[in-house]
Structure formats: C-alpha cells, structure tokens
Amino acid sequence: MDLLSGTYIFAVLLACVVFQSGAQEKNYTIREEMPENVLIGDLLKDLNLSLIPDKSLTTPMQFKLVYKTGDVPLIRIEEGTGEIFTTGARIDREKLCAGVLVDTRCFYEVEVAVLPDEIFRLVKIRFLIEDINDNAPLFPATVINISIPENSAINSRYALPAAIDPDIGINGVQNYQLIKGQSIFGLDVIETPEGEKMPQLIVQKELDREEKDTYVMKVKVEDGGFPQKSSTAILQVSVADTNDNRPVFKENEIEVSIPENAPVGTSVTQLHATDADIGENARIHFYFSNLVSNMAKRLFHLNSTTGLITIKEPLDREETPNHRLLVLASDGGLIPARAMVLVNVTDVNDNVPSIDIRYIINPINGTVVLSENAPLNTKIALITVTDKDADHNGRVTCFTDHEVPFRLRPVFSNQFLLETAAYLDYESTREYAIKLLAADAGKPPLNQSSMLLIKVKDENDNAPVFTQPFISLSVPENNSPGTQLTKISATDADTGHNAEINYLLGIDAPSEFNLDHRTGILTAVKKLDREKQEKYSFTVLAKDNGMPPLITNATVLVTVLDQNDNSPIFTHNEYNFYVPENLPRHGTVGLITVTDPDYGENSAVTLSILDTSDDFTIDPQTGVIRPNISFDREKQESYTFYVKAEDGGRVSRSSTAKVTINVVDVNDNKPVFVVPSSNYSFELVLPSTNPGTVVFTVVAVDNDTGMNAELHYSIVGGNTKGLFMIDQTTGNITLKEKCVLADLGLHKLVVKAKDLGQPDSLFNVVNVNLFVNESVTNATLIYELVRKNIETPVTQNIETADTSSPSSDYVKIVVAIVAGTITVILVIFITAVVRCRQSPHLKAAQKNKQNSEWVTPNPENRQMIMMKKKKKKKKHTPKNLLLNFVTIEETKADDADNDGNSVTLDLPIELEEQTMGKYNWGTTPTTFKPDSPDLARHYKSASPQPAFQIQPETPLNSKHHIIQELPLDNTFVGCDSISKCSSSSSDPYSVSECSYPVTTFKTPVSVHTRPTDSRTSTIEIYSEI
C-alpha cells in the first residue's frame, strides 16, 4: 500500500515537473504500410496528463497537431482525447529514410500542441518506423552473363551479381538458388563482413569449351520475410580460356574525408591493384560493385583503367554525409578483387538557417488575423529553425528585429512559440509585419529572415451606405454592349476588410446589366431594345468584407429611350379584298392595318397609294380604302396597286404592301328551268319501271357565276305518296319504290331549283307532271287534266319568300287562330251530322246484287251514286259498312317543313264494304266528255272505289271543289269553276256544285277519308278566299 502511494506521489511530482517545463517528448514504434485509422497511442494516458493538478480551464483540453503548411501528415490526433491514429497517407520506410544507411533506424517526428494556454504543452513525438517485407529482392539485370575458363577446376567458385532488397534485416536478401544447373554447376552463398550475402557459382564437373561453350540457367533470390518474396534472373555462362591469377588490391579498405564544397574533378583516392599474370590476363579493369548505390555512382567517377576515384557531381553533406564504394578489380579471371572505399563528406558552413512557421491559428491568405480583444499569451505559431550544417555551423538562434507586442518563447532546441505579449489595439496599430531572424554560429555566420503578417481584426459594426438610395437613369436603345451607364458608390464607416465594399446585382437584376464588384460601374452588356422592354427596375447591393458581412441595397431604374429603328409593319405582305360589283362609289373596300413598334413620332405612320391613277384613295391615318370608280366585273375583274407606310421619325422609315381588289359577282339572277320547258308538259312512266330508274331529269340554268350559279334541286310539293325522289345535284327524278295498281294516274311534283348565292340565295319552281300508265291513248285529256291540276291549288312546300316581316307573321298567327277555331267548330258539327244522318240508299245498295253496274264506267251504266239524307235513324250500323273519316287539311304558307301549315280534321263516313269488289276496267270509254280522263287506262285496278258526293246537308263552304282520288290517293282534277260543274252530268266522275252557305274557309282545305282497312280515299276541298 505504501509502495503504491509512493509511486503515485512520484508520478504526480513528475507530471508537475513536466507540466512546468512546457515541453515533452514521446517515442512510439510503428510498422510501415499500416492501414488507416490504426490506434498508435494515447497522449492523455501516455503523458500522464490526467495527473495534472486541476486548473480552471477556459476551454476543454485540446490536442492540436502542428505541421508545416503543405505537408501531408502520416498520423492524425483526436483533438479531444489525444488518441493518435494513422491516416490514409502511406508510411513507406524506404521512402522516408532513403538516404539513411541500412543499419540506421528510421524516425518520423511531429509536434503536438496541448491547449488551452493554462496547460499549454508542446509535445515532440518520435515514431520509429519498423520495416516490413514490402519489397521483393531484385537482381541488377534480368540476364546475367559470366565467363568461366574451360580449365576451371572442380569446385571452382565464381562470384555472381548480388540482388538488392530495399528492406532490412530478415526482410532483406536471405538465400539464392540455382535452377536447372544441369549437374554441371552448383550455387553457394557466402556472407561478407558487412553482412551481405553474395552468390557464388561452383563448377561441379570439368568443362570443355569445344564440347559446349554456353550454359543457360536461372538464379532465384529469396528474402526471409513473411510472406516470402523472390525473383529470378537468367544466368548465361560462357566457357573461356583460363586466367589463374586474380588481381590483388594494395589496400582492401580505404577511408577518406573530403569537404562538401570540393569542386567537380577533385581526386578522392587512388586505388592500386596488381596481377601476377602477364599480357591480357594481367590487364586490370576497375568497376563499382552492384551493391554501390545509384547516388554514389552519380556523384563519383571510377577510372576503369587507373582506379582513380574523382568527384563527378557536387557533394552535399546534408543530403548524404558518407558513401560506401565497393570497387572490384578484374583481370578477366574468375573472381575479381574487392576493395571498400568509405568516403566521409565533411561539413562546411554552406547552408543558411531555415525558418519553418507552423501556424496554430490558421492564416488567411498567409496572414494571421487576430481579433483586437485576443487574450494575452495567445499562441499564434510554432517557429522551427534548422540548419543542415553540422556542429557549430548548425547551431541556430532566433529573434525578432524590433519591439512588437509578441514574443518568442523557446520550447525545444531550435523551436519557439510565437505568442502575444501585450493586448492588441486596432485603433493604434492595425497590422504587424514581424520579421523573424535566424542566425547560425558558423564563421562567418549565415542568417535567414522570414516575415509573419498579423492583422488586427476590427469588429464590423457599420453597414455600407449608398450616396443615392434611388438611382434613375436613361439610356438610348441600340447601345453598344459594354456601354457605361453610371457609377454606383457607397461608403462604410469601418476600416480594413470591414470597410472594403463589394458591389453586387440583386437577384432581380436582368442579364442585360453588369456591375463591377470593385468600382461600382454599371454597364449594359447587351444591346437594349425599347420595343421589348422599356423600363428596368432592380436592386444593387453593397456588401462589406466583415464577419459577418453587412449588406445595404439601393434601387436602380433604367429607362430605355426610343430610336427610330423599326419600319412600319403591315399585318400582311399582300392584301386581297373582294368587293361586290354593285359597291357604290366611295364605299369601303377594306382596311389596311399597320403597326410600328417605335414610340411617339417614330411610330406615327402615314399611308399612301403608290399609283399614278386615282381609281382608289386611302385614309392616311385609318387605312380605309375607298374607290373613286364604279365597278363592273364584266369590264375588269381585279385591280392591283401598292400601299406605302411611312413613319414620322427624323430619318423616316417606310415599307410597302401589295393590294389586290377582286370584283365579285352579285347573285342577281334566279335559276331558269330548261327542262321541263312548261308546267303543262307531262312524262309517261310505265308501271313496270324498276325502283331507282331515272324517269325524268330536271334541268335549270343560272346566269350568275361561281356559287351563285351552283344549283340544288328538291321536291317541295305534290308527290303525295312519296313515290318519287330527286337528286339534288343532277336533277334526276327516280322511282323510289315499285309501282302498284293503286299508283296509276297523274302525279304532280313541284320541283324547286335553288342557287347557293351569298348572302341571299334565289330559287325558282316548276311543275313536273308524271303520268303512271301503260300508254297514253288520249293525250288531249291528259293535258286537260294537267291544266286543271295546275289551276287547282295543291298542298305545296314552296318558299314564297325567304324572309317575312314581323307584321306578316302577326297576320299569319291571327289567321291561324281564326282558322283553327272555325275548324274545330266545323269538325264538331260534321261529326254530329254524319252520325245522325245516314244515307238511306246504302242499305238498298247493300241488297243490290248488281252493284257492279253502278260503278262500272261504261256508257250504258254510267251513274253517280249519291248519298241522300235519311230522316230515320238506324239503330245499328250494318256490319258490311266501314267507318271512314274525311280529313280536312288546312295549309299555311309559313310551315317550317313544307312551307305551309296543315290543320287536319277527321270526318267519319260510312261506305259500303261490298262496293270494294273487283271490276273489269279494260273497256275504253267512248262517250266521255272531251275533258274527261282516260279512266280505262288511268284506273286499271283490281280494287276500284266508287265515287260519292257530299250532299247539301254537309256544312262546308258555299263554293268548293271536290277532288276525289281513286283508288288509294291517285288524283285527277275536276271542274275548275262553278260554271263547269253540273249535278245532272251523266259523267259519274264529274263533280257537283253545292251552294249552301254555312261556313266560309279562308284557306284551302283537303279532306281525306280514312278507311279501317288498307284502302284510303282522299277528298281534297279547296275554297276560294
């Protein structure tokens, strides 16, 4: 227990002594080629710094490696713990100690500063670098050539070139082997007094040059390291004649000294060797052994004939203080003579001291910056002074040349700490240039100086101030790049770096401008274009170099002034106007638009026509073109001239555009039908015609041109059964479906031809009469039917006007309302009458077995079956009667679909079902009136329908025409006037006049009977307005 206490007290006392001295040393041993981050030692423990008495430390204990700027340290130290680790830098003993003798130990030294100042220590650490086997032994050449006389005795030995291994000790050359010796030769290894292993070739059998003069083998060399490394060389032995005496040196070992400043060519020593042989065998050749370093061979020259060694290049003791020269003397014999020459280079005072400054406070651009409030004894740098000379020539002292508030405190031999000796005052002295002087003790003494700059740092408490917080300037556009606009300046109340101002553009500054960060000159680096941007507003910054820096900004407004650099621009290079030929004189042809990107007078554009004639004028400001002439497309279809646009700049600019005025045709001609040439013509259509067959072609022409002359055809009236259709382009009328017997008869089509004129199209209509029958036997009758059909109004879909005035629409609406009201009353009245009054002859006709005679159209039996008023009501309607409806259609001209409105009234009518029998219609009538139809051809049908008349009791118009379509809506036209109608006519198909004024219709009405079976009868009633 007492022993431990004593040991502890001794350690504490030792630590105190070391602590007071301020300098310590520590040795470590490390192997070369160690990897990175290998722990070498712990200074905190190894230096017993944990035993240092407690002190009040301003900052925690810190270990800082001190090394020369630019050096790459081989080790690093943890600043907080003091642990020493290897770095990524390679530790190569052979490189670190390249000039050290083989048997000399290799060291690497660094210094470590222990901070803070209260416990400051400077520790010198010496690392002994241990060798590892990282180099393989190598022969001086890959092919070794030796000559052996043929009379060599068995067991004769011949020296081979030794291999070289940069490693030392067991890692150096250890063994040689002969490969493929062919039992002629063997190999032995001898060790020299210097400890080197030399291979020797042994002759094991007699040689006969005449039998074989060359032997080729391999020599292998190995070191003793782990893992073992080796290399091989080719050994080529030539058998030669014998030389049985070898040279002998007068002195086997020679040591000489020569000053390092000996000039080139100075003799170092003269070697003497003799040979008992004579002639060629006695001629001695001197040469350096392969064991001599390349540096020695470079510095010294050996005369191969005389053996004189001279200086080949200047010597430097500081680089290599001694050289070992192994000289071999050979007479061409087996084994050369050996002599060792040891050359010691003596020192002369030829090296000035060197000053190595290793900064503890990192410099900025070579200058140490200290705050003016830095405390006393602040460590700045470690100053190391060295002299490569020896003895008193290498003893160096260091000092400053004048009084400064800094001092050099010695810590190790030739090492000093530079620290503050007084408080700094920035206001009195802002910068110190400390001149360090180092002088040696040689005669005469040599000295060296070095400057160390220390700047006192001012506290940055003032921001820069612009002389103008708002800068407004103007610059003309199209400036040259690099044009100087203005110089921006600012001041700073601080000094030094804190007062140095850098001018910067704000992040909102456009790329068109540049600001010199030193002079503050604002330039436009690009050509400005007012038309792209007229004003630029951005910020500029003034930034000082303080830490942290202070920044102030100002606003710059740049206004770009306009120049007349743009010609007027037409919206088109060529204008084409289309005007109608009826455009009045001085009317508006068109408008030309011109723009000019310039400003003010430079953009004021005046237009004019470049034409000798005065056919047209143009408004200089608005660009409206007006004609001074009347157009006539038939005389001239187009006019061409050029318009000039000129701006109002001081030096005006202008441009031109081509104008073409095209006279457009006016749609002032209606289509004219060529085929059919008349509304009274007709065309025969055979019932056997196939659907899709063209039965007639309508042809119309239009005297206009272009779209005004392009025609479209359509059926707008007639065609009640929809049996026909027309091609709107060609005018071909085709049969839509197969004709049946019910389709025989005259079909009226109202065809409309409409042009595509703009803005208003024109049209015309024509009646196309198609007679469906096998033949035309009575053309006169057909023409009369056509004429009556033309004169009788039909439901048509003809546009009478494209537009209607509001007043006409109002009248039509009123008429429609009145007509509708009357129609409803009429329907109610007719329905009541029909239901209450049944014709008495229907019952008699039902009992008549010869009912075919009163419907057969032959001359003997022609009669009209009339419906008569019955006073007696029948209780039941006979089962053989069909309930039919008479449909009254009111047509209005403004219908949206068929150019007319239809109001339909259904009137019930009872027809005798038995009258729908089959009859023979093949007999041709001979006693018809001249205007009667050819019923034999027209109604050749298997199921005809009898005619009937509406009696006076029927409440219809006082004057009306009844058109009966038999059978199934086939129509022929009856009387066209009252005078041509007779109730006593013998023609059973004539129409009787009924003069009972009950109701007056204002519009044509068609009445259709709607039977319950597939047959349909239609009665069309037209009234005069």
Side-chain angles (χ1 to χ4, degrees):
M1 183 65 180
D2 295 336
L3 179 61
L4 293 175
S5 301
T7 303
Y8 179 77
I9 294 171
F10 175 76
V12 171
L13 293 176
L14 179 62
C16 293
V17 172
V18 172
F19 177 78
Q20 294 298 326
S21 64
Q24 291 179 265
E25 293 186 4
K26 181 63 182 176
N27 296 329
Y28 292 97
T29 301
I30 61 174
R31 289 182 297 105
E32 65 172 333
E33 307 291 349
M34 290 184 67
E36 187 178 1
N37 294 327
V38 175
L39 178 63
I40 300 174
D42 188 341
L43 287 181
L44 184 63
K45 296 179 180 179
D46 298 341
L47 299 179
N48 295 319
L49 296 180
S50 60
L51 302 179
I52 297 176
D54 293 338
K55 290 187 177 183
S56 178
L57 302 181
T58 57
T59 58
M61 183 182 296
Q62 182 181 6
F63 298 87
K64 185 167 185 178
L65 187 65
V66 181
Y67 58 91
K68 187 177 181 179
T69 303
D71 289 349
V72 179
L74 301 182
I75 59 99
R76 66 178 177 85
I77 187 168
E78 290 291 334
E79 294 186 355
T81 64
E83 293 177 334
I84 304 173
F85 295 91
T86 58
T87 65
R90 181 186 177 193
I91 303 175
D92 190 355
R93 188 196 68 81
E94 289 75 27
K95 182 177 180 182
L96 290 174
C97 303
V100 180
L101 295 178
V102 175
D103 55 352
T104 305
R105 294 191 297 176
C106 180
F107 289 95
Y108 171 69
E109 296 182 357
V110 294
E111 288 80 25
V112 176
V114 181
L115 302 175
D117 291 337
E118 292 85 346
I119 59 170
F120 178 80
R121 289 292 178 271
L122 185 65
V123 182
K124 181 185 292 294
I125 304 177
R126 290 165 55 89
F127 297 93
L128 175 61
I129 310 300
E130 291 184 344
D131 182 56
I132 65 172
N133 189 26
D134 58 343
N135 294 281
L138 297 174
F139 287 99
T142 57
V143 179
I144 302 173
N145 292 295
I146 65 172
S147 179
I148 299 178
E150 62 179 338
N151 60 351
S152 297
I154 296 176
N155 294 327
S156 298
R157 295 173 178 267
Y158 295 92
L160 297 179
I164 300 174
D165 194 329
D167 296 325
I168 62 174
I170 192 65
N171 296 326
V173 176
Q174 297 297 322
N175 187 32
Y176 292 90
Q177 294 180 12
L178 183 64
I179 302 174
K180 296 182 180 180
Q182 306 175 23
S183 73
I184 303 295
F185 300 96
L187 188 68
D188 189 17
V189 180
I190 62 173
E191 187 171 348
T192 65
E194 294 81 13
E196 298 178 358
K197 292 179 172 58
M198 301 293 297
Q200 290 184 346
L201 186 67
I202 302 175
V203 179
Q204 296 178 346
K205 291 184 179 181
E206 292 183 357
L207 302 177
D208 187 354
R209 189 188 64 80
E210 286 72 25
E211 181 180 348
K212 188 173 183 179
D213 62 352
T214 303
Y215 295 89
V216 179
M217 297 160 282
K218 287 185 178 181
V219 180
K220 180 179 181 182
V221 60
E222 298 174 338
D223 60 21
F226 182 81
Q228 191 180 55
K229 297 182 181 293
S230 64
S231 64
T232 60
I234 297 175
L235 176 62
Q236 184 170 315
V237 179
S238 299
V239 181
D241 289 331
T242 63
N243 183 10
D244 55 353
N245 290 287
R246 67 175 185 173
V248 176
F249 279 102
K250 184 178 180 180
E251 295 177 344
N252 291 330
E253 291 187 4
I254 302 173
E255 184 175 357
V256 295
S257 297
I258 187 168
E260 62 178 334
N261 62 351
V264 175
T266 301
S267 296
V268 177
T269 186
Q270 175 68 58
L271 299 177
H272 298 279
T274 60
D275 194 316
D277 294 325
I278 60 175
E280 290 296 327
N281 292 331
R283 183 176 293 177
I284 300 174
H285 175 72
F286 298 93
Y287 59 95
F288 286 127
S289 170
N290 291 330
L291 299 176
V292 177
S293 66
N294 292 329
M295 179 180 292
K297 292 179 182 179
R298 178 172 55 84
L299 296 176
F300 300 95
H301 176 263
L302 174 61
N303 191 303
S304 63
T305 303
T306 63
L308 176 64
I309 299 176
T310 58
I311 298 176
K312 187 178 180 180
E313 290 184 8
L315 303 177
D316 189 356
R317 188 204 65 82
E318 289 72 27
E319 183 178 1
T320 306
N322 49 58
H323 302 274
R324 296 168 64 91
L325 306 178
L326 179 60
V327 180
L328 304 179
S330 174
D331 61 350
L334 301 177
I335 301 176
R338 299 162 54 90
M340 180 62 71
V341 179
L342 180 60
V343 179
N344 296 316
V345 181
T346 59
D347 181 67
V348 295
N349 192 22
D350 60 345
N351 290 281
V352 297
S354 65
I355 301 175
D356 182 20
I357 303 175
R358 302 181 183 183
Y359 293 96
I360 297 175
I361 299 177
N362 294 329
I364 300 175
N365 296 327
T367 302
V368 176
V369 178
L370 283 178
S371 177
E372 61 179 345
N373 57 1
L376 292 176
N377 301 323
T378 298
K379 307 303 183 290
I380 300 172
L382 174 65
I383 310 299
T384 302
V385 290
T386 57
D387 195 316
K388 294 181 180 180
D389 294 326
D391 300 330
H392 62 281
N393 293 331
R395 290 197 296 268
V396 183
T397 59
C398 185
F399 52 91
T400 59
D401 64 338
H402 59 275
E403 290 295 330
V404 290
F406 304 95
R407 65 187 172 198
L408 290 172
R409 184 164 63 87
V411 287
F412 292 110
S413 175
N414 297 339
Q415 285 189 319
F416 306 85
L417 275 174
L418 178 66
E419 59 185 13
T420 58
Y423 291 104
L424 304 179
D425 187 359
Y426 171 79
E427 284 69 23
S428 61
T429 306
R430 303 176 181 177
E431 184 176 6
Y432 294 93
I434 303 175
K435 186 176 183 180
L436 302 176
L437 296 175
D440 61 18
K443 293 183 179 180
L446 300 177
N447 57 66
Q448 177 68 29
S449 64
S450 179
M451 297 297 296
L452 190 148
L453 299 178
I454 298 178
K455 287 187 177 181
V456 182
K457 180 183 176 183
D458 181 33
E459 297 301 328
N460 188 26
D461 54 354
N462 291 283
V465 177
F466 282 97
T467 56
Q468 290 180 281
F470 182 81
I471 304 167
S472 179
L473 54 100
S474 301
V475 58
E477 64 175 334
N478 301 321
N479 59 290
S480 299
T483 301
Q484 179 175 338
L485 303 181
T486 186
K487 181 176 182 180
I488 298 173
S489 61
T491 59
D492 195 314
D494 294 324
T495 57
H497 283 289
N498 295 334
E500 292 179 359
I501 299 176
N502 289 328
Y503 298 94
L504 306 171
L505 289 172
I507 59 175
D508 60 341
S511 60
E512 286 82 359
F513 301 96
N514 180 57
L515 181 63
D516 190 282
H517 71 282
R518 292 187 177 274
T519 62
I521 295 177
L522 180 66
T523 56
V525 296
K526 295 181 180 179
K527 182 184 291 186
L528 301 180
D529 190 351
R530 189 207 64 82
E531 287 71 35
K532 292 183 179 179
Q533 187 168 349
E534 183 178 2
K535 292 182 182 295
Y536 297 87
S537 179
F538 53 91
T539 57
V540 292
L541 308 176
K543 174 183 177 183
D544 61 25
N545 289 332
M547 293 297 294
L550 300 178
I551 302 175
T552 305
N553 59 60
T555 301
V556 177
L557 178 63
V558 179
T559 302
V560 183
L561 302 179
D562 183 60
Q563 289 184 341
N564 192 21
D565 57 344
N566 292 280
S567 298
I569 301 173
F570 288 92
T571 55
H572 300 83
N573 294 329
E574 183 175 350
Y575 292 85
N576 285 279
F577 296 105
Y578 294 84
V579 297
E581 59 181 332
N582 59 357
L583 181 72
R585 183 176 296 184
H586 304 304
T588 299
V589 172
L591 176 67
I592 292 180
T593 303
V594 184
T595 59
D596 194 318
D598 291 325
Y599 179 75
E601 292 296 328
N602 295 332
S603 64
V605 179
T606 302
L607 297 172
S608 60
I609 295 178
L610 301 178
D611 194 358
T612 56
S613 64
D614 296 331
D615 293 346
F616 298 91
T617 61
I618 186 170
D619 190 290
Q621 279 72 40
T622 63
V624 175
I625 299 176
R626 302 180 186 278
N628 291 330
I629 58 175
S630 297
F631 294 109
D632 189 348
R633 189 186 63 83
E634 288 70 27
K635 292 182 179 180
Q636 186 170 350
E637 294 184 353
S638 64
Y639 300 84
T640 300
F641 54 87
Y642 287 87
V643 174
K644 175 182 178 183
E646 184 175 11
D647 61 27
R650 180 174 299 177
V651 178
S652 63
R653 304 173 70 97
S654 64
S655 57
T656 59
K658 182 180 179 181
V659 177
T660 300
I661 298 175
N662 302 283
V663 183
V664 181
D665 180 50
V666 177
N667 189 24
D668 51 359
N669 293 282
K670 288 184 178 182
V672 177
F673 284 95
V674 177
V675 179
S677 59
S678 170
N679 287 332
Y680 297 93
S681 63
F682 71 92
E683 184 73 17
L684 176 66
V685 178
L686 299 178
S688 61
T689 303
N690 293 324
T693 303
V694 177
V695 298
F696 189 74
T697 299
V698 178
V699 179
V701 296
D702 195 311
N703 291 331
D704 294 319
T705 59
M707 297 296 292
N708 295 334
E710 186 174 344
L711 303 179
H712 279 181
Y713 299 94
S714 61
I715 298 175
V716 297
N719 195 25
T720 56
K721 292 185 65 63
L723 191 61
F724 302 96
M725 59 186 299
I726 188 170
D727 187 286
Q728 69 169 358
T729 304
T730 62
N732 292 334
I733 298 176
T734 57
L735 187 64
K736 190 174 182 181
E737 56 188 26
K738 185 71 175 178
C739 294
V740 296
L741 293 178
D743 296 329
L744 298 179
L746 182 65
H747 295 262
K748 174 182 176 182
L749 307 181
V750 180
V751 177
K752 174 182 176 183
K754 178 181 179 181
D755 63 29
L756 301 182
Q758 295 294 333
D760 296 324
S761 61
L762 301 178
F763 68 93
N764 208 342
V765 295
V766 70
N767 289 338
V768 177
N769 301 290
L770 300 178
F771 184 64
V772 180
N773 207 0
E774 292 293 338
S775 62
V776 179
T777 57
N778 191 349
T780 303
L781 180 61
I782 301 301
Y783 279 116
E784 181 63 21
L785 291 176
V786 169
R787 183 184 63 79
K788 293 181 179 181
N789 199 2
I790 292 299
E791 294 176 355
T792 302
V794 296
T795 302
Q796 53 186 343
N797 185 22
I798 303 174
E799 295 182 6
T800 57
D802 288 344
T803 59
S804 60
S805 63
S807 59
S808 61
D809 292 340
Y810 177 78
V811 172
K812 292 178 181 179
I813 293 173
V814 173
V815 172
I817 294 173
V818 173
T821 303
I822 296 175
T823 303
V824 171
I825 296 173
L826 180 62
V827 168
I828 296 172
F829 180 79
I830 294 177
T831 302
V833 171
V834 170
R835 288 185 179 275
C836 295
R837 299 177 181 272
Q838 302 295 333
S839 300
H841 74 280
L842 292 177
K843 185 175 181 180
Q846 187 178 9
K847 297 178 181 179
N848 192 354
K849 304 298 183 180
Q850 304 297 329
N851 49 9
S852 60
E853 296 180 356
W854 59 266
V855 295
T856 302
N858 68 48
E860 290 80 13
N861 298 315
R862 283 180 294 175
Q863 57 181 352
M864 178 68 73
I865 305 300
M866 308 297 293
M867 292 187 297
K868 299 183 179 180
K869 183 178 179 181
K870 294 288 293 179
K871 293 184 179 180
K872 295 182 180 180
K873 295 183 179 179
K874 294 185 178 182
K875 296 181 180 180
H876 301 284
T877 303
K879 294 182 179 180
N880 57 354
L881 292 181
L882 298 177
L883 181 62
N884 296 275
F885 294 91
V886 177
T887 301
I888 300 176
E889 294 183 353
E890 179 185 0
T891 302
K892 295 184 178 181
D894 56 351
D895 187 273
D897 296 332
N898 54 11
D899 297 340
N901 295 332
S902 296
V903 179
T904 302
L905 302 179
D906 292 336
L907 306 180
I909 299 177
E910 293 181 355
L911 299 179
E912 188 174 17
E913 185 179 14
Q914 294 180 358
T915 60
M916 310 304 290
K918 295 183 180 179
Y919 301 95
N920 182 13
W921 295 88
T923 306
T924 302
T926 57
T927 58
F928 283 129
K929 297 180 181 179
D931 56 351
S932 299
D934 185 1
L935 296 183
R937 297 291 183 182
H938 187 64
Y939 296 109
K940 188 176 183 181
S941 173
S943 51
Q945 186 167 301
F948 63 95
Q949 286 185 331
I950 297 179
Q951 294 300 319
E953 290 82 1
T954 304
L956 296 176
N957 193 356
S958 59
K959 291 185 178 181
H960 59 275
H961 305 282
I962 299 176
I963 302 173
Q964 185 177 6
E965 297 179 357
L966 297 176
L968 299 179
D969 292 342
N970 286 330
T971 305
F972 64 93
V973 180
C975 300
D976 57 347
S977 63
I978 299 301
S979 60
K980 294 181 181 181
C981 298
S982 174
S983 59
S984 61
S985 173
S986 62
D987 186 357
Y989 296 96
S990 61
V991 181
S992 300
E993 178 182 352
C994 303
S995 302
Y996 295 92
V998 178
T999 305
T1000 301
F1001 286 89
K1002 299 300 181 180
T1003 55
V1005 180
S1006 62
V1007 180
H1008 300 273
T1009 63
R1010 189 166 58 194
T1012 56
D1013 60 1
S1014 60
R1015 300 177 182 85
T1016 302
S1017 297
T1018 302
I1019 300 176
E1020 294 186 355
I1021 304 175
Y1022 292 88
S1023 63
E1024 296 180 1
I1025 299 176

